[in-house]
Amino acid sequence: MTTRTPTQHVQHWLSNFETALEQRDIERVMQLFGEECYWRDLVTFTWNLKTLEGKDAIQSMLNATLSETRPGNWQIDGEATEADGITEAWFTFETGVAHGKGFLRLKGDRCWTLLTTMQELKDYPEPRGPHRPKGAEHGANKSRETWLESRQREERELGYTRQPYCVIVGGGQGGIGLAARLRQLNVPTIVVEKNPRPGDSWRNRYKSLCLHDPVWYDHLPYIPFPENWPVFAPKDKIGDWLEMYTKVMELNYWSATECESASFDEASGAWTVNVNRDGERVTLRPRQLILATGMSGMPNVPHFPGAETFEGEQQHSSQHPGPDAYRGKKCIVVGSNNSAHDICAALWENDADVTMLQRSSTHVVKSDSLMEEVLGPLYSEEAVQSGISHDKADLLFASIPYKVLPDFQRPAFDQIRERDAEFYKQLEDAGFLLDFGSDDSGLFLKYLRRGSGYYIDVGACDLVASGEVKLRSGVSIECINPHSITLTDGSELPADLIVYATGYGSMNGWAARIISQDVADKVGKCWGLGSDTPKDPGPWEGELRNMWKPTQQQALWFHGGNLHQSRHYSHYLALQLKARMEGIPTPVYGLQEVHHLA
């Protein structure tokens, strides 16, 4: 008996899968899936971001979508691999309207996880490679328009004599990356940003801010950072890169522009978006509105009794200017996550008297450990050398269903806990309240579930452990006095400055401010998986709520996340928007129900 190679094994499975799909034999399709199985589809079958968990869910999806999708031409891409009883392979396929790429994991002869992603609309390829624009117009032409004249004309017309198809509210890295993708798909788009320059959302933060994620994780679409770019980029360097990117990607970027209101007309299918562009009131009428105001919504600023009597300064971390004005001052930082640690360390470096107020436990992981044990296999110099580009890494990470992601993450964080045991002991001895997530699955699951509750340590923990940054843990503020705070244990701390590093609310808070509370409630909470863990109430949803996909409000979309997510998921959001602009049918399967208003 001849043993099949992993590649032959996958080819055999794909052939059976293709035949059963072509024959619309869904019962036969289901025989190819194991009892525990997951199919994550990014736009191709569902025109949604949807994870189908179990055979019944997959069967229901196929019953609803197969005749419209018309999938075919399933081909293995490269060689399959096998380890620990799991066979893995890349593949390509087509639908009636798109080219797709996917990733398959087999246990034995049956599918355990399947990822299908839309890569390109067949009739609307991006102008790259063989479709690259010529640029120069050869020949003689008395009415020739240069590239500069064309850009200037577009800037004069778009939003005035010609309406954009999309308006993106928010010109940080998320809005900029999405606008670049829409530009390449020839979707007329305006980005509105209240700051004077692209990149100001980074420049305006406290001066010690750096990326805590490494460079390999953080590239923007189309233009990766150069090979000599620092591993952890300082905020002002990121700001300059975004400003450059906005210019060279030819984005219609309206800086110094505030979105004052927006409303959707069901009859016409268009938005009315009122903006103040550097003192000029302009009304835009796009067909699609995208809120790219960051993964986080409005700043969470807790109110404590007596706050109005305080004679020092109070500020949310988003408003904190940096440490320069606080040398020798008594500073209280409320919170114990990334921003809190960064701000405490910067204040200490500037000779302030700093106390961190930790109200609940925090997951801490050393930056080096995170890079080597968690991110390294996909996002590192070694990964690049082994042929894993950031685009390939994005797809590999996306291929892991959120339901089983904790099982993939837990071993790495168990390794970190063992590797850095002495570090954690020193923190706990100092009174710091530590956790590894409610199920010990670590940082990224905390981020996906709640977007808070963690710190990537780049040095501030040593200050906490040594007492250089004072720590009060397991307590909160009872009341604020003119020159001090009283804690819930009855003790009092003198204070000249209170920084609330207390995070942000759901992104739909921006929908409430810009559109209406009714629309914010209609779309519901953004972010979180429904894991029924702290700050991520159930029921289980299987995908991030409302992100990069259709919402309960027609033509309203949310875009955000870290640089990796903004880069990867902007691709699928741009394809959804382009398909709608071109009139391609986009029947959405499994539109998310709303379980939580915010």
Side-chain angles (χ1 to χ4, degrees):
M1 178 176 145
T2 306
T3 304
R4 284 197 300 243
T5 66
T7 297
Q8 291 169 333
H9 188 188
V10 169
Q11 286 172 328
H12 181 70
W13 189 93
L14 281 174
S15 176
N16 288 335
F17 186 58
E18 179 169 31
T19 300
L21 289 173
E22 284 177 349
Q23 295 173 353
R24 305 290 187 265
D25 188 346
I26 295 176
E27 188 174 322
R28 186 174 162 198
V29 173
M30 299 322 302
Q31 291 171 5
L32 297 170
F33 285 80
E35 287 308 308
E36 183 196 11
C37 57
Y38 305 88
W39 182 339
R40 188 173 191 218
D41 180 63
L42 304 183
V43 186
T44 50
F45 280 71
T46 60
W47 288 102
N48 199 353
L49 274 57
K50 192 75 178 170
T51 300
L52 297 314
E53 300 178 0
K55 288 187 173 185
D56 289 349
I58 293 170
Q59 185 167 340
S60 295
M61 183 273 284
L62 288 174
N63 281 331
T65 66
L66 195 51
S67 59
E68 177 79 30
T69 304
R70 307 192 310 280
N73 196 22
W74 299 79
Q75 302 284 334
I76 191 168
D77 185 12
E79 297 293 318
T81 60
E82 191 276 332
D84 300 323
I86 308 294
T87 305
E88 299 182 340
W90 296 98
F91 61 88
T92 58
F93 66 104
E94 296 178 17
T95 69
V97 300
H99 296 291
K101 187 176 180 70
F103 193 77
L104 170 69
R105 291 185 182 89
L106 299 177
K107 283 185 177 179
D109 292 329
R110 290 186 168 82
C111 175
W112 175 37
T113 75
L114 180 66
L115 172 72
T116 49
T117 73
M118 185 178 290
Q119 291 297 301
E120 182 179 68
L121 293 164
K122 288 180 177 178
D123 292 340
Y124 304 98
E126 289 192 7
R128 63 164 95 191
H131 305 291
R132 182 192 296 271
K134 193 168 185 179
E137 181 191 338
H138 293 164
N141 181 356
K142 286 190 174 182
S143 58
R144 180 190 303 275
E145 185 179 52
T146 66
W147 172 85
L148 179 60
E149 289 165 341
S150 173
R151 281 290 292 137
Q152 290 171 337
R153 176 174 53 80
E154 182 180 35
E155 289 169 0
R156 286 193 305 272
E157 292 176 356
L158 196 63
Y160 295 95
T161 61
R162 180 166 63 92
Q163 287 301 313
Y165 183 73
C166 294
V167 165
I168 300 173
V169 179
Q173 71 263 15
I176 286 171
L178 176 61
R181 291 202 187 272
L182 291 170
R183 178 80 184 185
Q184 296 310 301
L185 289 168
N186 199 26
V187 177
T189 300
I190 291 174
V191 180
V192 299
E193 166 59 44
K194 65 182 179 182
N195 284 312
R197 291 166 58 198
D200 278 351
S201 54
W202 285 87
R203 293 188 191 96
N204 293 343
R205 298 297 304 280
Y206 52 91
K207 73 177 189 178
S208 63
L209 177 65
C210 283
L211 280 174
H212 288 195
D213 300 321
V215 61
W216 307 278
Y217 189 73
D218 291 332
H219 298 293
L220 270 65
Y222 308 113
I223 308 178
F225 294 117
E227 291 188 2
N228 60 356
W229 195 259
V231 175
F232 301 109
K235 70 179 182 73
D236 297 285
K237 193 171 178 69
I238 289 288
D240 289 348
W241 183 265
L242 292 174
E243 188 167 23
M244 175 280 298
Y245 187 93
T246 303
K247 191 173 186 66
V248 299
M249 295 304 293
E250 301 176 27
L251 306 187
N252 294 297
Y253 191 97
W254 287 14
S255 56
T257 303
E258 186 157 6
C259 181
E260 296 183 327
S261 66
S263 59
F264 185 71
D265 182 67
E266 301 280 349
S268 67
W271 289 92
T272 299
V273 181
N274 296 306
V275 304
N276 182 336
R277 188 183 189 190
D278 203 14
E280 176 193 9
R281 292 297 201 294
V282 183
T283 298
L284 301 171
R285 302 190 186 279
R287 311 296 289 190
Q288 309 288 340
L289 180 63
I290 303 100
L291 299 187
T293 48
M295 176 211 114
S296 306
M298 305 293 177
N300 278 332
V301 182
H303 180 76
F304 297 108
E308 66 283 353
T309 71
F310 188 62
E311 295 183 12
E313 289 185 62
Q314 299 178 75
Q315 55 202 209
H316 187 263
S317 58
S318 60
Q319 304 160 318
H320 179 64
D324 295 357
Y326 306 108
R327 185 181 300 273
K329 302 285 189 180
K330 304 280 189 184
C331 303
I332 309 290
V333 178
V334 182
S336 53
N337 296 341
N338 272 335
S339 293
H341 278 85
D342 284 351
I343 290 168
C344 283
L347 287 166
W348 176 87
E349 287 177 350
N350 205 54
D351 294 323
D353 181 322
V354 192
T355 300
M356 176 186 287
L357 189 61
Q358 184 189 29
R359 299 178 297 168
S360 58
S361 67
T362 306
H363 172 54
V364 173
V365 59
K366 291 172 77 74
S367 175
D368 288 350
S369 300
L370 182 70
M371 286 175 59
E372 292 169 26
E373 303 289 347
V374 182
L375 292 174
L378 294 183
Y379 300 97
S380 64
E381 202 62 46
E382 292 72 25
V384 172
Q385 295 303 320
S386 67
I388 302 177
S389 66
H390 60 273
D391 290 325
K392 194 171 187 178
D394 291 348
L395 287 168
L396 280 169
F397 196 80
S399 75
I400 306 169
Y402 288 126
K403 189 78 168 181
V404 297
L405 186 57
D407 298 331
F408 277 72
Q409 294 280 291
R410 211 173 278 113
F413 283 96
D414 287 345
Q415 186 72 28
I416 286 172
R417 196 196 304 243
E418 187 176 325
R419 162 180 170 156
D420 296 326
E422 181 59 31
F423 166 76
Y424 290 120
K425 182 178 185 302
Q426 289 172 356
L427 271 179
E428 289 185 311
D429 287 349
F432 195 87
L433 304 174
L434 282 168
D435 70 58
F436 274 75
S438 61
D439 56 357
D440 290 333
S441 57
L443 184 141
F444 205 71
L445 267 299
K446 261 204 163 185
Y447 170 69
L448 292 168
R449 291 164 174 171
R450 53 185 281 188
S452 65
Y454 54 85
Y455 169 54
I456 301 172
D457 179 44
V458 292
C461 282
D462 289 341
L463 299 175
V464 174
S466 67
E468 293 290 327
V469 167
K470 300 166 188 170
L471 175 69
R472 298 298 301 270
S473 57
V475 291
S476 185
I477 296 176
E478 180 73 32
C479 65
I480 297 177
N481 313 307
H483 300 284
S484 65
I485 62 170
T486 301
L487 300 178
T488 49
D489 64 1
S491 59
E492 187 175 350
L493 297 176
D496 302 303
L497 169 71
I498 305 172
V499 180
Y500 298 108
T502 45
Y504 301 82
S506 169
M507 276 181 74
N508 72 341
W510 286 105
R513 174 183 284 191
I514 293 168
I515 309 167
S516 69
Q517 188 63 51
D518 286 346
V519 167
D521 291 344
K522 184 177 180 180
V523 299
K525 180 180 174 70
C526 298
W527 209 259
L529 299 167
S531 62
D532 204 24
T533 57
K535 298 192 178 181
D536 183 29
W540 177 250
E541 311 211 19
E543 290 283 342
L544 286 170
R545 300 181 187 97
N546 281 320
M547 299 304 298
W548 317 296
K549 60 184 179 181
T551 69
Q552 290 287 348
Q553 171 58 57
Q554 180 185 343
L556 177 64
W557 310 77
F558 293 90
H559 176 60
N562 59 28
L563 279 158
H564 147 249
Q565 290 169 307
S566 291
R567 172 186 67 246
H568 185 219
Y569 290 100
S570 62
H571 180 52
Y572 309 113
L573 178 48
L575 288 169
Q576 292 173 80
L577 294 165
K578 174 66 172 178
R580 283 163 173 77
M581 187 183 90
E582 299 297 349
I584 296 171
T586 57
V588 176
Y589 177 80
L591 184 66
Q592 180 187 306
E593 295 180 35
V594 174
H595 301 291
H596 307 284
L597 300 186

